[in-house]
């Protein structure tokens, strides 16, 4: 498990390399939470990240200065402030996610169909046991990386 964890950290680090001068890993996590869950209050973001609201606010302030996030009044309750990605922030998250997607897909492609099926089952059980909720709209297909659990049959020709 620790070896697999190191591999995933390495994939994450490589996917962030292109934007490393703009954001840190914790700042990217904040952007990714906003991308996955939409507009949110600071306390909700802090809770999802497992940090204090003051820590989340410092990260957010840096992202606002960088033009990647904004802070706006909640139209339903003017006393609340809502946080959201800017279009530039969305582009950054999409770019990093695409690189990560390609790298993971390349690794998964090296597995047999049986190993892929086992991997999906094991990772689903692992994330559920760890209390990590599925992100709406993410990985809605059983094999979102474009592979399947059936072998490719080659016909002679």
């Amino acid at each position: 498990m620790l070896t697999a964890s190191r591999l995933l950290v390495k994939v994450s680090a490589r996917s962030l390399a292109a934007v490393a001068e703009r954001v840190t890993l914790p700042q990217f996590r904040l952007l990714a939470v906003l991308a996955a869950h939409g507009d949110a209050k600071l306390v909700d973001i802090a809770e999802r990240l497992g940090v204090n609201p003051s820590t989340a606010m410092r990260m957010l302030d840096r992202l606002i200065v960088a033009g990647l996030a904004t802070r706006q009044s909640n139209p339903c309750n003017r006393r609340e402030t809502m946080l959201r990605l800017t279009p530039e922030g969305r582009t950054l998250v999409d770019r990093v996610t695409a690189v990560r997607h390609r790298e993971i897909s390349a690794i998964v492609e090296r597995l047999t169909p049986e190993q892929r099926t086992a991997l999906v089952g094991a990772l689903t059980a692992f994330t559920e046991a760890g209390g990590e909720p599925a992100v709406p709209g993410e990985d809605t297909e059983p094999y979102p990386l474009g592979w399947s659990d059936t072998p490719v049959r080659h016909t002679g020709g």
Side-chain angles (χ1 to χ4, degrees):
M1 184 59 83
L2 290 176
T3 303
S5 174
R6 281 195 309 271
L7 173 62
L8 290 172
V9 167
K10 187 165 59 172
V11 167
S12 293
R14 282 195 304 251
S15 68
L16 279 170
V19 298
E21 62 281 344
R22 294 207 61 200
V23 295
T24 64
L25 177 58
Q27 290 168 342
F28 179 78
R29 284 183 58 222
L30 191 153
L31 293 173
V33 166
L34 282 174
H37 299 284
D39 297 359
K41 295 185 289 185
L42 180 68
V43 292
D44 295 334
I45 294 293
E47 184 177 313
R48 286 186 179 121
L49 293 174
V51 299
N52 293 324
S54 61
T55 300
M57 180 59 81
R58 283 191 300 276
M59 286 191 303
L60 181 69
D61 286 343
R62 291 182 189 113
L63 294 170
I64 289 170
V65 169
L68 301 172
T70 63
R71 182 184 303 124
Q72 298 177 344
S73 294
N74 183 348
C76 299
N77 180 351
R78 294 227 173 249
R79 294 183 308 174
E80 288 181 348
T81 299
M82 299 302 289
L83 313 172
R84 71 174 38 147
L85 286 180
T86 63
E88 187 177 354
R90 169 64 66 184
T91 298
L92 185 140
V93 170
D94 290 347
R95 199 167 106 210
V96 169
T97 302
V99 170
R100 193 170 295 171
H101 190 275
R102 283 192 304 273
E103 287 213 26
I104 291 171
S105 183
I107 294 166
V108 170
E109 283 294 324
R110 296 182 199 127
L111 302 176
T112 66
E114 295 79 18
Q115 290 171 321
R116 293 174 192 164
T117 300
L119 178 65
V120 169
L123 290 176
T124 299
F126 183 75
T127 55
E128 288 173 358
E132 185 66 25
V135 175
E138 185 177 276
D139 296 344
T140 55
E141 300 175 35
Y143 304 104
L145 297 175
W147 44 269
S148 74
D149 59 357
T150 56
V152 175
R153 296 179 193 226
H154 297 282
T155 57

